[in-house]
Amino acid sequence: QQPVQSPQAVILREGEDAVINCSSSKALYSVHWYRQKHGEAPVFLMILLKGGEQKGHEKISASFNEKKQQSSLYLTASQLSYSGTYFCGTEHSGYALNFGKGTSLLVTP
Amino acid sequence: DVKVTQSSRYLVKRTGEKVFLECVQDMDHENMFWYRQDPGLGLRLIYFSYDVKMKEKGDIPEGYSVSREKKERFSLILESASTNQTSMYLCASSVPGQGAFNQPQHFGDGTRLSIL
């Protein structure tokens, strides 16, 4: 029941855009997004709720497509500080999350 | 700010030893979680707890147990450590979800455990 993330890795130049996708085989009520920088703890970015709500954080936004059971994370005009591994999390139960394998993002000057 | 503290950043133990990993949170969160993180596999849930003395198995509980005697502390126990348990272990906490919606999880910095 682990969600599937794509791509596995992406390299960008500063200022470029990227999209990270997260797909689930089961119906979802919400999707979480986290970012983990090298050697640090994962940090919560945002929750997408059932209803297709789009949310934003800095120049990072995300959407949730109920029909496709998919969420996409959009990184606009990427900055060096965006480098890290991005994880999506879907409901495991009323308490816990199933996390994807992660997408490694590297932003170069 | 929520603070989740894991007792050790790095730990080296021998095969067959009983290993304790400790996690403490300072925000009175009901939910606490233990994950292991391995390259290419993401974060996998070992155990979680939604209240003192309550525990639930996650996806990979074999070889592990947990203890939650106080609300702020959640311990992960490797009963007889094996080399395949060499990994990064992450603890997290959260407030209870609202209906079907989970609340954000706050993570500790992790313990890198090596079993020799």
Side-chain angles (χ1 to χ4, degrees):
Chain A
Q1 293 184 342
Q2 191 175 33
V4 177
Q5 287 187 234
S6 63
Q8 288 185 334
V10 59
I11 300 175
L12 299 173
R13 288 199 180 274
E14 217 173 348
E16 291 182 335
D17 302 339
V19 180
I20 300 171
N21 296 308
C22 173
S23 297
S24 174
S25 58
K26 66 170 194 172
L28 298 173
Y29 289 97
S30 66
V31 177
H32 293 220
W33 285 97
Y34 291 77
R35 177 173 62 202
Q36 184 180 30
K37 299 197 175 185
H38 184 68
E40 298 181 9
V43 173
F44 170 75
L45 292 176
M46 65 190 79
I47 296 177
L48 280 300
L49 304 179
K50 185 178 178 179
E53 184 177 348
Q54 192 152 348
K55 303 202 84 175
H57 175 83
E58 301 170 347
K59 290 182 182 176
I60 301 173
S61 62
S63 63
F64 181 16
N65 187 319
E66 275 174 66
K67 278 189 177 179
K68 293 184 177 180
Q69 301 305 329
Q70 178 177 309
S71 178
S72 296
L73 188 72
Y74 306 94
L75 297 101
T76 307
S78 58
Q79 305 168 12
L80 297 176
S81 62
Y82 287 1
S83 292
T85 301
Y86 290 78
F87 293 99
C88 68
T90 58
E91 301 113 33
H92 179 284
S93 63
Y95 307 99
L97 294 171
N98 274 315
F99 284 97
K101 293 182 178 180
T103 296
S104 176
L105 178 76
L106 176 63
V107 181
T108 63
Chain B
D1 267 0
V2 176
K3 185 73 175 173
V4 179
T5 304
Q6 294 185 230
S7 54
S8 305
R9 197 69 195 270
Y10 300 94
L11 205 55
V12 180
K13 296 291 182 181
R14 296 221 172 263
T15 305
E17 280 192 73
K18 192 169 186 176
V19 180
F20 294 84
L21 301 183
E22 306 286 346
C23 175
V24 176
Q25 49 94 4
D26 66 357
M27 284 301 291
D28 205 36
H29 284 173
E30 283 78 3
N31 299 338
M32 295 189 76
F33 311 88
W34 275 106
Y35 297 91
R36 65 177 282 176
Q37 183 174 24
D38 300 289
L41 297 179
L43 296 163
R44 293 182 292 166
L45 182 66
I46 304 172
Y47 267 98
F48 64 97
S49 168
Y50 53 88
D51 202 351
V52 175
K53 296 192 186 294
M54 305 304 291
K55 59 185 180 184
E56 294 284 343
K57 293 180 180 179
D59 298 316
I60 52 166
E62 297 78 18
Y64 303 95
S65 63
V66 289
S67 173
R68 192 158 180 212
E69 296 296 319
K70 293 184 178 182
K71 191 175 186 180
E72 67 271 17
R73 187 179 296 271
F74 193 33
S75 302
L76 180 69
I77 303 156
L78 285 67
E79 297 292 344
S80 178
S82 64
T83 54
N84 63 11
Q85 292 178 309
T86 291
S87 186
M88 170 68 85
Y89 289 87
L90 288 164
C91 175
S93 71
S94 75
V95 296
Q98 296 173 341
F101 306 135
N102 302 88
Q103 292 297 315
Q105 295 187 13
H106 301 268
F107 285 84
D109 287 333
T111 295
R112 187 164 292 283
L113 176 65
S114 296
I115 306 296
L116 305 178

